Amino acid sequence: MSILMQDVRKKYGNDYALKNVNLTFQKGKIYGLIGPNGSGKSTTLKLITGLIFPDSGNVTLHGHTVTRKTSVDIAYLTELDMFYDSFSVQETINYIASQFSDFNRNKAELLVKEMKLENNKKIKSLSKGNRARLKLVTTLARDADVILLDEPFSGLDPMVRDQIVKSLLQYIDFDNQILLIATHEINEIEPLLDEAIALYYGEVIGQEKVEDLREQKGLSVLQWFKQIIGTIEEDN
Amino acid sequence: MTTEFQSSKPIYMQIVDRIIIDILQEKQILGDKLPSVREKAVQIGVNPNTIQRAYSELERMSVVETRRGQGTFVIENSHLLDELRLSMQTEVINEYVKKMKEIGITKQQMISELQHYLKEED
């Protein structure tokens, strides 16, 4: 059970979104894709979902090339949200359950309770924090092999963030799932990660086990990230 | 609340320290079971692999033992508290002396400053 990216290049127009990316993701681990805006984090996630395809190189899931069909095994929380304003929380959950055969209604119910969402509330009346909570509910309730979260904390207050972190830890199935979180909020995410992958202008400029960084180099992920960016910019 | 961590020390070691302090303050009782890895992970907002590593380290230090199928327990040993307190003390003193040296304080001054400070506190 793994995701493999080999020599992946992706261009938008004349600009490289990713160049020569080689990465492996294995189950039971939480990976952080970190980097500033425009570094290729979202592109990487989209390539794994099969929403876009590489110009060259390969992306495989469990040994099969990623296509639109392999996306059934992937739960993807996008930066955008795609809820219908006139639906209630319950209707939204029903709708999503009808779209994904791996949707686990029990899990969804537990998550809704934990996130203190009201089933009969309309989407349009939800606060930003509650919309983000619902997004997470609909993603985590799937028994998918892979969970991809694109900026799950952006614009949320620390209380909501804490709750999302806790639900993540509670509901991830560590024996069977791969979790990838793309974010530029490095400090907030660090305690959650097994490994950090640093992206910068479409290239992987570093990959480290978080605890090894601290133990061997005495650096937090953010310090490490700043350090490697510093050396790159000096060279240029 | 999820917990804040210092940036220089491994997170698992910071968790080890906190569990030891909990034991010294008797928030965690000798012989009692620690929360499961998952529970502890959710409680403090940390990757379960990191908690597992902290528990293994505590086991290596003979502070806890893992009983098959039952969980991780604080060892019931009356000397444990003394030993832990002593090793924590050494660590704190090391840190104190190191920092004082960094700002150019002599050994004599360290002692007299500390005595002075403690008198004020009383």
Side-chain angles (χ1 to χ4, degrees), chain A residues 148-164:
Chain A
L148 307 175
L149 306 177
D150 199 351
E151 298 288 358
F153 307 122
S154 98
L156 300 177
D157 68 55
M159 306 306 286
V160 182
R161 214 156 50 197
D162 273 2
Q163 198 182 26
I164 289 181

Side-chain angles (χ1 to χ4, degrees), chain B residues 23 29-32 34 58-59 61-67 72-81 84:
Chain B
I23 295 172
I29 310 294
L30 296 186
D32 275 10
L34 291 177
L58 285 164
E59 195 164 4
M61 294 163 71
S62 307
V63 175
V64 303
E65 60 181 356
T66 302
R67 294 184 209 145
T72 305
F73 295 78
V74 182
I75 285 179
E76 206 162 1
N77 165 0
S78 49
H79 299 304
L80 181 63
L81 288 182
L84 289 177

Side-chain angles (χ1 to χ4, degrees), chain A residues 194 209-216, chain B residues 10-13 15-16 37 47-61:
Chain A
D194 288 288
K209 294 196 174 97
V210 171
E211 290 286 73
D212 287 357
L213 269 182
R214 286 168 173 262
E215 193 141 51
Q216 290 158 15
Chain B
I11 294 173
Y12 83 92
M13 279 310 295
I15 296 168
V16 164
V37 168
N47 186 310
N49 293 326
T50 310
I51 305 287
Q52 185 55 58
R53 206 161 159 193
Y55 281 12
S56 303
E57 179 64 16
L58 285 164
E59 195 164 4
R60 199 191 58 78
M61 294 163 71

Side-chain angles (χ1 to χ4, degrees), chain A residues 215-228:
Chain A
E215 193 141 51
Q216 290 158 15
K217 302 188 180 157
L219 295 174
S220 71
V221 173
L222 184 60
Q223 289 166 335
W224 165 71
F225 186 67
K226 284 181 174 165
Q227 200 181 69
I228 42 180

Side-chain angles (χ1 to χ4, degrees), chain A residues 28 30 159 162 165-166 169-174 190-194 211-212 214-215 218-220 223, chain B residues 1-3 5-14 38 41-50 53:
Chain A
I30 305 181
M159 306 306 286
D162 273 2
V165 165
K166 287 185 178 197
L169 290 168
Q170 187 133 28
Y171 291 98
I172 292 292
D173 176 0
F174 281 91
E190 176 168 2
L192 274 181
L193 303 181
D194 288 288
E211 290 286 73
D212 287 357
R214 286 168 173 262
E215 193 141 51
L219 295 174
S220 71
Q223 289 166 335
Chain B
M1 278 298 285
T2 53
T3 333
F5 293 95
Q6 303 162 20
S7 61
S8 54
K9 199 171 175 180
I11 294 173
Y12 83 92
M13 279 310 295
Q14 296 183 50
R38 177 79 70 129
V42 173
Q43 216 178 73
I44 57 178
V46 165
N47 186 310
N49 293 326
T50 310
R53 206 161 159 193

Side-chain angles (χ1 to χ4, degrees), chain A residues 90-220:
Chain A
Q90 187 62 60
E91 284 165 339
T92 302
I93 286 173
N94 292 344
Y95 170 67
I96 292 169
S98 74
Q99 299 303 302
F100 297 102
S101 59
D102 60 5
F103 195 87
N104 182 331
R105 280 182 173 276
N106 288 336
K107 235 188 203 178
E109 226 169 90
L110 289 171
L111 278 157
V112 163
K113 253 186 224 152
E114 199 158 301
M115 299 281 191
K116 299 195 174 63
L117 291 167
E118 292 167 55
N119 275 322
N120 51 7
K121 267 234 163 126
K122 289 265 192 270
I123 299 298
K124 63 169 171 271
S125 65
L126 293 183
S127 66
K128 197 171 174 186
N130 279 338
R131 263 184 113 106
R133 288 184 173 101
L134 182 58
K135 253 170 91 174
L136 197 82
V137 169
T138 57
T139 312
L140 288 187
R142 288 184 53 198
D143 292 325
D145 293 348
V146 181
I147 295 186
L148 307 175
L149 306 177
D150 199 351
E151 298 288 358
F153 307 122
S154 98
L156 300 177
D157 68 55
M159 306 306 286
V160 182
R161 214 156 50 197
D162 273 2
Q163 198 182 26
I164 289 181
V165 165
K166 287 185 178 197
S167 298
L168 262 179
L169 290 168
Q170 187 133 28
Y171 291 98
I172 292 292
D173 176 0
F174 281 91
D175 293 329
N176 296 304
Q177 291 181 314
I178 304 172
L179 176 59
L180 240 100
I181 306 173
T183 185
H184 56 255
E185 290 167 274
I186 300 176
N187 274 337
E188 285 79 357
I189 202 77
E190 176 168 2
L192 274 181
L193 303 181
D194 288 288
E195 281 183 34
I197 295 152
L199 282 167
Y200 196 59
Y201 291 112
E203 286 181 272
V204 176
I205 55 169
Q207 177 168 14
E208 294 282 350
K209 294 196 174 97
V210 171
E211 290 286 73
D212 287 357
L213 269 182
R214 286 168 173 262
E215 193 141 51
Q216 290 158 15
K217 302 188 180 157
L219 295 174
S220 71

